[in-house]
Amino acid sequence: MKIAKKALGAAMSVVMLGSQVMPVLASGSAVPTAPTTTGGTANILDYKVESVVVPTALKITLNPKGYDITTKYVEATSYAANTVYYTESAGTYTKATVADATAFGSGGPYYTAETTDDQVVSLNYGVANKSTGAKTVKVDFAATYTAVDGKKAIEFVDSEAKAQAYDATNNADGAKAGEHKMYLAVASAAALPTANTYAKTADTTVDNGKTYYTKSGAAYTKVDSPVADDLGTYYEATTTIGTEITAAELADVTMTKAATGNQVFVKGATDKADASIAYSLGAATYGLKDGETIDFTTTQADLASKLEMSVLGEVAGFTLTGAVNADADWTEADATAITITPTYTIADATGAEAAVDSGAYKQVTLNAGPSAPATVNFDTTNGATFDVNFGLGESAATQIKSIQYSTDGTTYKTFGTPANVYTISGKTVTIKPSFGGFDANNEGHLKVVFDKGDAALVTLEKQP
């Protein structure tokens, strides 16, 4: 984008010079009857990419009894005793006998299985912004199934504890024997995810200790005999998510699950349960390809072939988590499988998105009601001034309708002459020094009433 702006400025200068410069004539020269100039065309150079990459598919298993579930097979790089190895053929993995390191080195490739006994088993998923602008990405999840008549209904609960074993003392809201209770939630990554992917090599000489690849479409092929002259076309395997990331690779990223910001599946109007989560992702950077130039003849249509992504935009990660009542016979539930479908909504970021928590990487709230500070200092000379937050999305307010007060912190009343007590200017409320509705603790209780959403309570603390 910086390149584009500089080029535009230069092209516009040509037009200005062409219309303003007059020739300087030597003494005694004849004055021309009609000086002429040549105009210039100022091409407007800008480049826009709208591309957010999301995972190709979700893989989820609900595991009430805590069986060992194989989530993936990973190629082994070295031999370890007492390890179960597998070989692969046409996507099928078969147990293999590997006697020792010598046998490992002469056979293979060999793979090991990654397993988990979690009750909700899910891979981790990534979302990457390749756009030239910052984007918000909202993911709406729908859990659906067709209920089987005569079976026991599945109940989606709003906390993990409610799907865990009932205990009169420690978990009175827990699931009792035979109750088909399930807690599902979407959790963000706690930090930037990684993935098994590829990146263009930065080597200028061949490193015989490395493996290089060539790329054709979305496929990478190992180079058996790398050539120094071809280094500019080679790629290396990496775990850093970069410009080459694909949707298939984003369907299995590595991340640490955030403890905060989890979005719970709750009973939907038409679906069995719904959940939504949102992220704000910064823009990608695009620059000139090697060997390309931008000059006065470059048009906006030319830019697509001259520019390429040099830095990927921001990346977020999410996974599914939860708990299922183990003290129930799930063969009696009214479904043997639940379909969980994500729908992605992508929009330009406005900068007004509110971060959910620093522990939930890039997660934001796109829909929130209005709010106000809980406490505000009040002094008898200047009164008090504070700003409210109108909120975001469909729940946001557009104005403050009134300010009410309470002398007991419970019953709120409208001021008889509001102009004598407070003023409102946009999001700013000013309480005048004339306000006198303090209780015995020198606290004043206000209610800010908005045109939309819940009212907000503010406590004025009178300063000595």
Side-chain angles (χ1 to χ4, degrees):
M1 297 298 293
K2 292 182 179 178
I3 293 173
K5 290 181 179 178
K6 290 180 180 178
L8 173 61
M12 291 181 69
S13 297
V14 172
V15 177
M16 294 170 65
L17 289 170
S19 61
Q20 295 177 3
V21 174
M22 295 293 289
V24 178
L25 304 178
S27 177
S29 298
V31 177
T33 56
T36 59
T37 59
T38 301
T41 299
N43 292 315
I44 300 175
L45 302 181
D46 199 359
Y47 181 61
K48 185 176 183 178
V49 173
E50 300 281 327
S51 177
V52 175
V53 187
V54 301
T56 50
L58 304 187
K59 293 183 178 181
I60 308 157
T61 294
L62 302 177
N63 186 28
K65 304 303 183 185
Y67 301 122
D68 286 333
I69 306 295
T70 297
T71 58
K72 69 180 81 172
Y73 294 89
V74 179
E75 185 173 352
T77 57
S78 61
Y79 174 79
N82 301 318
T83 299
V84 178
Y85 291 102
Y86 299 82
T87 55
E88 181 269 339
S89 177
T92 299
Y93 293 84
T94 306
K95 282 186 179 181
T97 300
V98 184
D100 51 29
T102 301
F104 181 91
S106 60
Y110 294 108
Y111 300 83
T112 57
E114 291 190 1
T115 64
T116 178
D117 61 359
D118 288 347
Q119 289 188 315
V120 176
V121 179
S122 172
L123 293 180
N124 304 319
Y125 310 99
V127 179
N129 186 18
K130 291 188 175 183
S131 306
T132 49
K135 297 293 178 182
T136 58
V137 181
K138 183 185 179 190
V139 194
D140 295 306
F141 296 88
T144 59
Y145 65 87
T146 301
V148 178
D149 290 339
K151 294 282 191 173
K152 297 180 180 179
I154 296 172
E155 180 184 353
F156 289 87
V157 295
D158 58 8
S159 74
E160 188 171 7
K162 290 181 180 179
Q164 294 173 332
Y166 166 83
D167 183 281
T169 302
N170 300 313
N171 192 15
D173 291 330
K176 297 180 181 179
E179 293 183 330
H180 294 83
K181 291 186 176 181
M182 178 184 301
Y183 167 75
L184 282 179
V186 190
S188 293
L192 178 67
T194 60
N196 292 323
T197 181
Y198 297 86
K200 280 190 174 181
T201 183
D203 291 348
T204 55
T205 58
V206 173
D207 184 340
N208 292 322
K210 290 183 177 181
T211 300
Y212 297 98
Y213 300 84
T214 54
K215 181 182 180 184
S216 177
Y220 294 86
T221 304
K222 180 181 176 181
V223 178
D224 292 326
S225 301
V227 178
D229 290 346
D230 295 335
L231 277 171
T233 65
Y234 290 163
Y235 294 79
E236 293 180 58
T238 180
T239 57
T240 300
I241 296 177
T243 58
E244 301 298 324
I245 194 67
T246 65
E249 292 165 347
L250 288 176
D252 182 14
V253 304
T254 300
M255 59 171 248
T256 300
K257 184 170 55 181
T260 57
N262 289 6
Q263 300 299 296
V264 180
F265 279 77
V266 296
K267 183 175 176 57
T270 56
D271 306 317
K272 296 297 182 181
D274 298 319
S276 296
I277 202 163
Y279 302 96
S280 182
L281 305 177
T285 301
Y286 286 77
L288 272 178
K289 296 178 182 177
D290 289 343
E292 292 287 351
T293 59
I294 295 177
D295 56 26
F296 290 130
T297 67
T298 303
T299 66
Q300 191 170 109
D302 297 332
L303 287 179
S305 62
K306 291 177 175 288
L307 300 179
E308 65 180 358
M309 192 193 319
S310 56
V311 180
L312 180 69
E314 291 183 319
V315 179
F318 66 86
T319 192
L320 296 182
T321 186
V324 184
N325 182 19
D327 197 9
D329 183 352
W330 285 85
T331 66
E332 297 178 350
D334 63 350
T336 59
I338 298 173
T339 299
I340 299 177
T341 305
T343 300
Y344 300 87
T345 302
I346 299 164
D348 292 337
T350 64
E353 300 81 15
V356 169
D357 189 279
S358 58
Y361 189 71
K362 299 300 173 184
Q363 186 180 338
V364 296
T365 296
L366 301 179
N367 190 31
S371 61
T375 59
V376 175
N377 290 335
F378 177 96
D379 70 68
T380 54
T381 301
N382 301 306
T385 299
F386 60 90
D387 290 336
V388 303
N389 186 335
F390 282 160
L392 299 167
E394 296 177 356
S395 299
T398 61
Q399 63 176 324
I400 301 170
K401 293 180 66 176
S402 67
I403 306 293
Q404 298 177 0
Y405 74 101
S406 172
T407 54
D408 58 10
T410 302
T411 304
Y412 285 86
K413 309 172 187 177
T414 301
F415 289 102
T417 310
N420 293 340
V421 185
Y422 68 84
T423 61
I424 298 170
S425 177
K427 298 181 180 181
T428 302
V429 176
T430 299
I431 305 298
K432 297 182 178 181
S434 57
F435 175 79
F438 292 96
D439 60 19
N441 296 319
N442 283 325
E443 290 184 345
H445 304 282
L446 303 179
K447 178 184 286 187
V448 182
V449 181
F450 300 94
D451 65 335
K452 191 175 181 181
D454 294 335
L457 302 181
V458 177
T459 298
L460 295 181
E461 294 188 343
K462 190 175 182 181
Q463 302 303 296

